[in-house]
């Protein structure tokens, strides 16, 4: 991680006190402007307290807090989302204004709230000064005329209402995204607050709905990626709140990631009248640029200054990066290199147990950085706009983002649609300088062309140069949307990129490893799998997208995002009160799927660095015989146990290598991956450990240490280790913690209940390692083995909790007191462990969080090898309905051709124009997930394929015998039948939701129905 330049980051005014504030602001480098955190020194209480807005109100009994702080954070992962507490919460803060900035010198004072949930009223010295109701986007409150100069102690009071049924006061309309399935309700001021003080001549802030202002906009164009040059532009909206005209020049200065000068340019002087708002701009072509990229969070500090009579009177700092994007040929291009989307559909809350969204920025970097480490290149936030903290974090770690604004599960009309437009406008203005945002998402389901055009117009007005595509889920035939893609299924296009917005919905807790490891959790799809089963499903689901990647013909899939990255307190489907489909658990400890993705996603399109991963551990009981799975991108994998070869694995689904019936023997199990020439390219091993004999604690904190600001969090990993210090992967020991010193225990999470009630998974095991009994179906009637109970508290805030797979993680929050914090962990029969953490006073001049440059700049080499070419037919014949046969090659998945239901007429024939060999036919068939199609494919009458086309989540590839010919015919040989091939992939509306495969358009039986047909010659 690279540590960039520092800038003045003053502690909040309340914490500094009046004397400290005056001495600090006298040394500020940013002219008459102050941009400071405003998070310390608040008090909070629940309930609608009468008179709480008044200056003289006595809040001494309220709880002291540092923001962000949701009043119900304790409930995160302890309760089902539907049971999260709602109500009124009050916050109050006292502070003193400086004497040389803001209102004291005729300037402005703006309170910048990054977010409250759901609606907030802000009172300044007892007067209602502003507020916000949409619960998502940032808003500003102009407190200029209500604040009083030093030494007066000003009071800010905020009343927040997080009712699920909250209605907009002016219209009586609810907000579509205030939804108790998708948008977890952490109520109160749940995001950070800042105070902005300016002079009378100043650059505005990007807070449009509340203040009507747009702030600074920085972008680049005219890219020469190889030459490392581009033209950099900056523009600022400038306001003159003074009583006389002002003449100033506009100066732009860049510093690179190390704080070194990287360019400077100015614009001619302009004059602005009293009360006038004007946009000023400047640009220059710069060289030796570093372009922001995947895993390469290169950011510049861009300072825009207003210079009057040689003196800087206003200065704003924008941290941004420059990158080139294109969206064409069904493919996304970043810095002139094709990149197939692979990442995660993550709940915007991105929450943690017992903390919710109340986390410091370095924790966001930890979480989002793990997405990149797993091979993810895109995070699609879900339903509502992400927090500023997560947007800036994604910039730093090099993670592309798809940004929604606000929605639930459908298009809407009237005031509810207007609310969505307003939220999108505010989010675009707020985040148009963040290079990681590559997609704007107009909806989690298709929207009308008129609505799409409205959102595109907003993008074009406020972010015309940012290189960001705007689209929506589905929108496959839209003439307006610039990208699209369905939720569960594979889409392809030769034009705009289409990628899956959510795929691989199955769930698996980290604790449940396999049927032979306590608590002996056998495979129980679909929403209560064990880790062995989950990895296989993870690989199968990605392979559907990967084999249709760029390089595979004219029509390609631009990828997809797996739902989700970290276990979430929203939208459960299994037995728990939270969703367990993450590749990491709620404390960000990796599951096996994390490592499977590292193997499959190690490249921009094609895999560039071969890897291998043995799934699971090698600590079993004597007599166990089990299948061993290796995930690898190599051509072959050999398994070696204690020096003896177990042969080659059977390859399936592109990356899975299965070794059937391996007898367990303690020792070392090694997977050796080889390329097509037999060269070793990767290996992985598992070693049998001894029994657990001790505990080990490992602390984690932010780059600047653990800050004693009552908001920073320290993480502590606890492991059960053997005599050689190796983690024991089968350990489930219960650990008790003791904490001494200035810290607040926030704990961790584990499957089940801190009251230690028996679970259906705690079943006896036979000598063969198989469970003796099977648990009952889960409460959703989907799972066979109940993993926990939806009423369990999951050990939230408990000081005693088990390790799972030999490890767990807990969190401690600092207080305002610096000092040493001692953490001791004990478990029966194990040697205890103790560590000491230092909670240090926050520095008044702290470094910005470092960026990650781990993956390096965008490679100049091609991202993929062209592996097949499209054979385009010159004519299409059909046994029936020949006039619509062209729909099978029209690159529009909303159209289709079907025969008339008579088996004799259920054929379609493609005239290839000349004799040639076709190696593959790729089909998207009506009812692809449900319907069985017995098919015969002939070339000039000779059979080149016969069999039942596999059910799929989109496209199926049928290999053909190499027969030269010019007329390829696809014929149905028997009646079709419907039966779901993918288990119970349920949506919240029930088990049959998501079956939108067009099956209802063509009745099963004697009809052949084709949406798209592609004919290929492989290279």
């Amino acid at each position: 991680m690279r540590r960039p330049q520092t800038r003045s980051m003053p502690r909040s005014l309340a914490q500094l006190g009046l004397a400290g504030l005056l001495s600090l602001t006298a040394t500020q480098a940013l002219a008459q402007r102050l941009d400071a955190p405003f998070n310390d020194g608040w008090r909070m209480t629940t309930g609608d307290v009468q008179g709480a807005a008044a200056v003289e109100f006595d809040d001494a009994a309220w709880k002291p807090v540092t923001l962000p702080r949701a009043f119900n954070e304790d409930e995160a992962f302890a309760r089902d989302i539907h049971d999260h507490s709602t109500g009124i919460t009050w916050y109050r803060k006292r502070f003193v204004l400086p004497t040389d900035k803001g209102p004291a010198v005729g300037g402005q004072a703006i309170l910048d709230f990054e977010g409250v949930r759901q609606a907030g009223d802000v009172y300044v010295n007892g007067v209602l000064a502003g507020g916000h109701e949409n619960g998502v986007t940032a808003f500003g409150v102009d407190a200029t005329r209500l604040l009083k100069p030093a030494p007066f102690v000003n009071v800010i009071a905020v009343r927040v209402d997080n009712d699920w049924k909250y209605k907009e006061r002016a219209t009586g309309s609810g907000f579509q995204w205030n939804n108790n399935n998708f948008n977890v309700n952490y109520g109160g001021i749940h995001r950070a607050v800042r105070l902005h003080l300016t002079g009378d001549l100043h650059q505005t802030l990007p807070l449009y709905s509340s203040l009507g202002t747009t702030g600074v906009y920085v972008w680049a164009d005219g890219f020469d990626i190889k030459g490392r040059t581009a033209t950099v532009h900056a523009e600022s909206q400038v306001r003159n709140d003074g009583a006389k005209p002002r003449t100033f020049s506009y100066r732009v200065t860049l510093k690179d990631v190390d704080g070194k000068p990287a360019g400077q340019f100015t614009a001619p002087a302009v004059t602005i009248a009293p009360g006038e708002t004007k946009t000023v701009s400047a640009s220059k072509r710069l060289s030796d640029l570093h372009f922001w990229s995947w895993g390469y969070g290169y950011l510049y500090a861009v300072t825009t200054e207003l210079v009057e009579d040689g003196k800087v009177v206003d200065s704003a700092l924008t941290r941004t990066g420059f990158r080139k994007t294109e969206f064409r040929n069904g493919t996304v291009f970043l810095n002139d290199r094709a990149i197939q989307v692979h990442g995660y559909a993550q709940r915007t809350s991105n929450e943690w147990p017992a903390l919710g969204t109340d986390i410091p920025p370095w924790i966001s970097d930890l979480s989002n950085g793990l997405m990149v480490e797993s091979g993810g290149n895109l995070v699609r936030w879900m339903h509502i706009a992400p927090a500023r903290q997560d947007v800036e974090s994604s910039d730093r770690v090099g993670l592309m983002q798809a940004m929604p604004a606000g929605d639930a599960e459908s298009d809407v009309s009237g005031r509810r649609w207007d609310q969505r437009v307003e939220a999108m406008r505010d989010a675009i203005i707020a985040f148009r300088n963040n290079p990681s945002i590559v997609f704007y998402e107009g909806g989690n389901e298709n929207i009308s062309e008129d609505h799409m055009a409205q959102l595109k117009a907003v993008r074009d007005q406020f972010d015309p140069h940012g290189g960001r595509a705007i689209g929506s889920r589905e929108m496959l035939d839209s003439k307006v949307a610039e990208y699209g893609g369905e939720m569960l299924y594979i889409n392809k296009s030769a034009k705009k990129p289409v990628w899956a917005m959510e795929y691989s919905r199955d769930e698996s807790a980290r604790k449940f490893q396999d049927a032979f490891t306590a608590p002996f959790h056998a495979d129980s799809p679909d929403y209560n799998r064990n880790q062995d089963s989950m990895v296989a499903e993870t690989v199968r689901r990605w392979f559907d997208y990967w084999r249709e990647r760029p390089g595979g013909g004219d029509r390609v899939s631009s990828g997809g995002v797996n739902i989700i990255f970290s276990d979430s307190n929203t939208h459960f489907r299994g037995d728990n009160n939270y969703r367990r489909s993450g590749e990491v658990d709620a404390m960000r400890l990796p599951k096996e799927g994390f490592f499977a993705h590292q193997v499959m996603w190690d490249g921009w399109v094609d895999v560039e660095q071969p890897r291998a991963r043995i799934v699971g551990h090698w600590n079993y009981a004597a007599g166990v015989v089990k299948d061993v799975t290796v995930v690898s991108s190599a051509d072959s994998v050999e398994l070696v146990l204690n020096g003896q070869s177990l042969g080659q694995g059977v390859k399936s689904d592109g990356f899975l290598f299965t070794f059937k019936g391996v007898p367990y023997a303690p020792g070392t199990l090694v997977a050796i991956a080889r390329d097509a020439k037999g060269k070793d390219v990767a290996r992985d091993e598992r070693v049998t450990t001894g029994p657990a004999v001790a505990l080990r604690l490992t602390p984690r904190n932010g780059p600047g240490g653990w800050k004693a600001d009552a908001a920073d969090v320290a993480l502590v990993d606890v492991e059960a280790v053997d005599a050689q210090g190796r983690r024991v992967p089968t350990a489930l020991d219960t650990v008790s913690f003791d904490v001494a010193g200035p810290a607040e225990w926030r704990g961790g999470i584990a499957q089940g209940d801190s009251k230690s009630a028996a679970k259906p998974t705690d079943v006896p095991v036979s000598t063969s390692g198989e469970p003796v009994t099977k648990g009952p179906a889960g409460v959703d009637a989907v799972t066979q083995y109940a993993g926990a109970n939806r009423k369990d508290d999951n050990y939230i805030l408990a000081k005693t909790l088990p390790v799972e797979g030999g490890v767990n993680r807990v969190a401690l929050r600092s207080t305002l007191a610096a000092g040493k914090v001692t953490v001791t962990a004990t478990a029966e029969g194990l040697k205890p462990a103790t560590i000491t953490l230092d909670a240090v006073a926050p520095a008044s001049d702290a470094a910005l969080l470092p960026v990650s440059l781990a993956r390096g700049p965008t490679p100049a080499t091609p991202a993929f090898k062209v592996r097949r070419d499209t054979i385009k037919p010159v004519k299409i014949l059909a046994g029936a309905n020949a006039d619509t046969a062209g729909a099978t090659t029209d690159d529009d998945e909303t159209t289709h051709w079907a025969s008339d239901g008579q088996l004799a007429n259920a054929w379609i024939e493609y005239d290839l124009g000349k004799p040639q060999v076709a190696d593959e036919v790729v089909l998207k068939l009506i009812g692809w997930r449900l319907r069985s199609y017995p098919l015969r494919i002939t070339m000039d009458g000779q059979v080149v394929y016969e069999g039942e086309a596999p059910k799929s989540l989109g496209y199926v590839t049928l290999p053909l015998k190499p027969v030269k010919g010019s007329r390829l015919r696809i014929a149905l040989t028997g009646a079709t039948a419907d039966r779901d091939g993918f288990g119970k992939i349920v949506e919240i509306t029930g088990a049959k939701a998501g079956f939108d495969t067009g099956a209802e358009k063509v009745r099963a039986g004697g009809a052949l129905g084709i949406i798209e047909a592609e004919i290929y010659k492989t290279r």
Side-chain angles (χ1 to χ4, degrees):
M1 296 286 278
R2 180 72 66 87
R3 184 177 297 280
Q5 71 282 349
T6 64
R7 67 170 176 174
S8 180
M9 295 284 285
R11 295 162 69 188
S12 78
L13 311 185
Q15 187 177 6
L16 285 169
L18 179 58
L21 173 63
L22 295 178
S23 63
L24 174 67
T25 56
T27 63
Q28 287 293 316
L30 299 182
Q32 295 180 358
R33 194 180 190 102
L34 175 70
D35 175 5
F38 202 60
N39 296 315
D40 297 345
W42 291 82
R43 289 181 175 271
M44 176 184 78
T45 194
T46 57
D48 201 0
V49 181
Q50 296 300 309
V55 173
E56 63 277 7
F57 182 85
D58 183 3
D59 57 20
W62 291 15
K63 180 180 180 180
V65 296
T66 298
L67 301 180
R69 190 64 55 90
F71 80 92
N72 57 350
E73 64 172 4
D74 291 2
E75 298 169 7
F77 291 91
R79 292 189 185 182
D80 164 359
I81 179 177
H82 302 96
D83 295 333
H84 280 189
S85 298
T86 60
I88 306 299
T89 310
W90 277 93
Y91 299 79
R92 284 171 57 89
K93 175 182 172 69
R94 294 174 173 82
F95 73 105
V96 177
L97 278 174
T99 58
D100 61 345
K101 286 178 171 61
V105 293
Q108 279 195 326
I110 303 295
L111 299 171
D112 176 2
F113 291 82
E114 293 184 17
V116 302
R117 178 69 188 273
Q118 172 69 38
D121 296 317
V122 180
Y123 296 85
V124 178
N125 292 327
V127 178
L128 181 62
H132 202 55
E133 296 181 275
N134 78 21
V136 175
T137 55
F139 67 99
V141 174
D142 187 345
T144 305
R145 292 172 176 77
L146 296 174
L147 291 173
K148 298 180 181 181
F152 186 84
V153 179
N154 295 281
V155 176
I156 307 296
V158 184
R159 179 186 183 272
V160 183
D161 183 352
N162 75 319
D163 190 343
W164 283 117
K165 303 298 183 182
Y166 181 86
K167 304 295 184 185
E168 190 176 44
R169 291 170 183 166
T171 65
S173 172
F175 293 88
Q176 188 187 13
W177 51 85
N178 191 19
N179 181 293
N180 65 0
N181 286 301
F182 310 115
N183 188 2
V184 62
N185 196 340
Y186 301 121
I189 306 179
H190 71 301
R191 294 179 181 171
V193 183
R194 300 189 71 84
L195 174 66
H196 303 273
L197 302 177
T198 71
D200 53 1
L201 180 67
H202 59 90
Q203 297 166 82
T204 67
L205 297 170
L207 298 168
Y208 191 86
S209 285
S210 50
L211 301 180
T213 56
T214 56
V216 179
Y217 184 30
V218 180
W219 75 93
D221 57 18
F223 289 94
D224 178 355
I225 298 298
K226 291 183 179 178
R228 292 179 53 198
T229 62
T231 301
V232 175
H233 304 255
E235 69 177 34
S236 293
Q237 186 185 60
V238 178
R239 174 80 180 168
N240 180 8
D241 285 322
K244 61 181 181 179
R246 305 288 289 273
T247 300
F248 63 92
S249 60
Y250 183 59
R251 183 168 67 195
V252 182
T253 303
L254 281 76
K255 290 185 178 181
D256 68 13
V257 77
D258 294 312
K260 298 177 181 178
Q264 186 178 87
F265 47 96
T266 60
V270 298
T271 299
I272 183 169
E276 185 181 7
T277 300
K278 181 177 289 188
T279 298
V280 296
S281 62
S283 64
K284 185 178 182 179
R285 191 155 189 84
L286 299 179
S287 58
D288 296 322
L289 291 173
H290 296 264
F291 297 116
W292 186 95
S293 187
W294 172 34
Y296 189 72
Y298 203 100
L299 300 177
Y300 288 88
V302 181
T303 303
T304 50
E305 298 171 314
L306 309 183
V307 183
E308 185 179 44
D309 297 330
K311 179 182 177 182
V312 177
V313 296
D314 188 73
S315 179
L317 179 63
T318 302
R319 201 180 189 199
T320 189
F322 309 114
R323 81 288 182 272
K324 179 184 179 183
T325 56
E326 294 179 276
F327 310 93
R328 56 180 170 82
N329 301 337
T331 304
V332 179
F333 292 85
L334 177 63
N335 299 330
D336 292 336
R337 197 175 202 239
I339 186 166
Q340 188 180 30
V341 166
H342 40 73
Y344 303 97
Q346 177 77 341
R347 295 298 178 195
T348 299
S349 48
N350 211 12
E351 71 268 26
W352 288 65
L355 290 164
T357 55
D358 302 342
I359 57 170
W362 80 266
I363 294 282
S364 293
D365 286 6
L366 170 67
S367 180
N368 298 332
L370 282 169
M371 292 194 211
V372 177
E373 187 179 333
S374 77
N377 57 38
L378 175 80
V379 57
R380 175 201 175 225
W381 304 110
M382 299 181 69
H383 297 288
I384 62 171
R388 187 183 301 169
Q389 178 170 305
D390 270 320
V391 172
E392 294 175 349
S393 171
S394 297
D395 288 345
R396 291 190 293 268
V397 303
L399 178 65
M400 296 188 296
Q401 299 180 76
M403 185 204 80
D407 62 44
E409 284 284 350
S410 63
D411 203 353
V412 288
S413 59
R415 177 58 193 154
R416 290 202 300 163
W417 172 251
D418 293 341
Q419 291 167 343
R420 283 174 58 167
V421 175
E422 291 163 6
M424 178 62 76
R425 179 191 61 202
D426 281 7
I428 286 175
I429 292 169
F431 300 137
R432 60 186 179 172
N433 294 319
N434 296 93
S436 56
I437 292 184
V438 174
F439 297 100
Y440 292 136
E441 179 178 296
N444 192 55
E445 198 169 349
N446 66 296
I447 58 177
S448 70
E449 285 288 82
D450 178 62
H451 283 174
M452 191 74 254
Q454 288 183 51
L455 296 181
K456 187 176 180 181
V458 171
R459 191 277 312 269
D460 292 345
Q461 178 180 358
F462 292 105
D463 185 22
H465 310 295
R468 299 176 177 95
I470 190 161
S472 178
R473 203 183 95 195
E474 302 174 351
M475 308 302 287
L476 300 177
D477 61 342
S478 171
K479 303 298 188 293
V480 180
E482 296 166 338
Y483 74 94
E486 294 182 276
M487 183 169 64
L488 296 174
Y489 305 130
I490 296 95
N491 304 116
K492 296 172 66 175
S493 174
K495 305 180 185 71
K496 67 186 177 192
V498 288
W499 46 276
M501 305 296 170
E502 306 167 26
Y503 79 92
S504 196
R505 295 175 153 256
D506 293 40
E507 299 192 30
S508 174
R510 187 172 63 82
K511 178 179 182 179
F512 302 133
Q513 300 188 65
D514 56 43
F516 305 97
T517 305
F520 311 111
H521 191 71
D523 180 21
S524 179
D526 299 296
Y527 298 107
N528 204 9
R529 291 185 182 272
N530 62 36
Q531 290 291 290
D532 269 7
S533 168
M534 187 70 175
V535 167
E537 181 68 9
T538 296
V539 173
R540 282 193 291 266
R541 294 287 66 80
W542 172 247
F543 182 59
D544 286 339
Y545 299 90
W546 189 76
R547 65 182 170 188
E548 305 300 340
R549 65 196 183 278
D554 297 337
R555 301 185 71 246
V556 298
S557 163
S558 52
V561 288
N562 181 307
I563 180 171
I564 49 181
F565 178 66
S566 61
D567 290 353
S568 172
N569 203 181
T570 63
H571 203 177
F572 55 76
R573 289 181 171 82
D575 307 301
N576 291 92
N577 56 24
Y578 64 95
R579 187 170 187 147
R580 300 164 300 162
S581 52
E583 268 52 54
V584 297
D585 71 9
M587 295 299 290
R588 276 53 173 185
L589 289 170
K591 303 180 188 178
E592 287 293 331
F594 179 94
F595 303 105
H597 282 141
Q598 282 186 326
V599 172
M600 300 186 294
W601 291 353
D602 195 347
W604 285 54
V605 179
D606 291 348
V607 174
E608 296 166 13
Q609 180 62 47
R611 297 187 189 224
R613 172 76 182 185
I614 300 173
V615 179
H617 58 86
W618 199 239
N619 278 38
Y620 291 99
V624 166
V625 177
K626 78 179 294 281
D627 296 347
V628 174
T629 303
V630 177
V631 183
S632 180
S633 49
D635 292 282
S636 65
V637 175
E638 180 186 10
L639 201 61
V640 177
L641 176 58
N642 296 329
Q644 298 296 313
S645 176
L646 301 180
Q648 304 288 317
V650 177
K651 187 176 183 179
S652 62
D653 299 297
F655 301 95
L656 277 180
F657 293 83
T658 303
F659 299 81
K660 289 285 189 181
V662 176
Y664 169 73
T668 302
L669 185 70
V670 181
I672 304 171
R674 299 186 175 95
D675 64 15
K677 296 180 180 180
K679 179 183 176 182
D680 291 8
V681 293
R683 64 173 52 206
D684 191 29
E685 70 174 36
R686 295 289 176 273
V687 178
T688 306
T689 73
V693 299
L695 296 175
R696 178 170 61 210
L697 298 177
T698 305
R700 297 171 181 266
N701 51 247
W706 189 25
K707 300 178 178 64
D709 59 4
D712 200 8
V713 170
L715 302 175
V716 178
D717 291 359
V718 57
E719 297 171 279
V721 299
D722 70 1
Q724 297 183 47
R726 301 172 298 190
R727 182 193 300 174
V728 179
T730 54
L732 297 169
D733 300 86
T734 298
V735 181
S736 297
F737 292 88
D738 181 73
V739 179
E744 179 189 354
W745 176 261
R746 303 310 298 171
I749 189 171
Q751 281 286 298
D753 197 320
S754 60
K755 296 184 289 292
S756 300
K759 300 298 159 198
T761 47
D762 296 336
V763 298
V765 65
S766 69
T767 55
S768 68
E770 291 287 350
V772 173
T773 61
K774 291 185 176 181
V779 294
D780 59 359
V782 174
T783 58
Q784 183 180 18
Y785 286 81
N789 186 291
R790 289 183 178 170
K791 297 299 182 182
D792 285 349
D793 66 7
N794 306 310
Y795 292 89
I796 300 303
L797 291 174
K799 284 194 173 180
T800 297
L801 72 163
V803 294
E804 297 178 339
V807 64
N808 215 321
R809 177 176 287 163
V810 296
L812 296 90
R813 185 153 56 202
S814 65
T815 68
L816 292 176
K820 294 189 178 299
V821 176
T822 300
V823 180
T824 300
T826 59
E828 184 177 355
L830 303 183
K831 182 181 178 180
T834 299
I835 59 168
T836 299
L837 308 172
D838 286 317
V840 299
S844 60
D845 190 21
L848 291 169
L849 283 172
V851 303
S852 173
L853 306 179
R855 291 190 61 89
T858 302
T861 55
F864 60 85
K865 180 180 179 180
V866 177
R867 63 193 183 279
R868 64 188 185 189
D869 299 301
T870 304
I871 300 175
K872 296 183 178 180
V874 298
K875 187 178 180 180
I876 306 175
L877 304 174
N881 301 322
D883 57 326
T884 59
T888 64
T889 59
D890 65 356
D891 194 27
D892 182 352
E893 294 180 9
T894 66
T895 64
H896 70 275
W897 164 83
S899 61
D900 60 5
Q902 300 299 312
L903 190 59
N905 299 329
W907 60 268
I908 190 168
E909 186 171 280
Y910 298 92
D911 185 342
L912 308 184
K914 62 180 181 181
Q916 53 190 308
V917 174
D919 297 310
E920 294 175 344
V921 167
V922 177
L923 300 174
K924 189 166 194 177
L925 298 161
I926 285 284
W928 59 82
R929 169 179 158 178
L930 304 170
R931 189 159 295 175
S932 299
Y933 282 89
L935 297 177
R936 179 184 297 125
I937 303 177
T938 59
M939 181 70 85
D940 288 353
Q942 187 171 343
V943 176
V944 292
Y945 171 89
E946 187 156 16
E948 184 174 297
K951 295 171 186 174
S952 74
L953 292 180
Y955 288 83
V956 293
T957 298
L958 305 180
L960 307 180
K961 293 179 183 178
V963 173
K964 196 171 188 178
S966 60
R967 301 176 77 87
L968 186 145
R969 176 177 288 202
I970 302 172
L972 187 68
T973 59
T976 64
D978 287 352
R979 185 175 181 182
D980 185 21
F982 292 87
K984 296 180 179 178
I985 304 178
V986 298
E987 251 296 348
I988 60 165
T989 51
K992 290 190 176 181
F995 275 27
D996 185 16
T997 62
E1000 75 285 352
K1001 299 175 182 177
V1002 179
R1003 184 175 298 176
L1008 175 60
I1010 300 176
I1011 296 169
E1012 293 291 332
E1014 301 156 15
I1015 306 168
Y1016 291 111
K1017 172 67 178 175
T1018 59
R1019 294 192 179 188

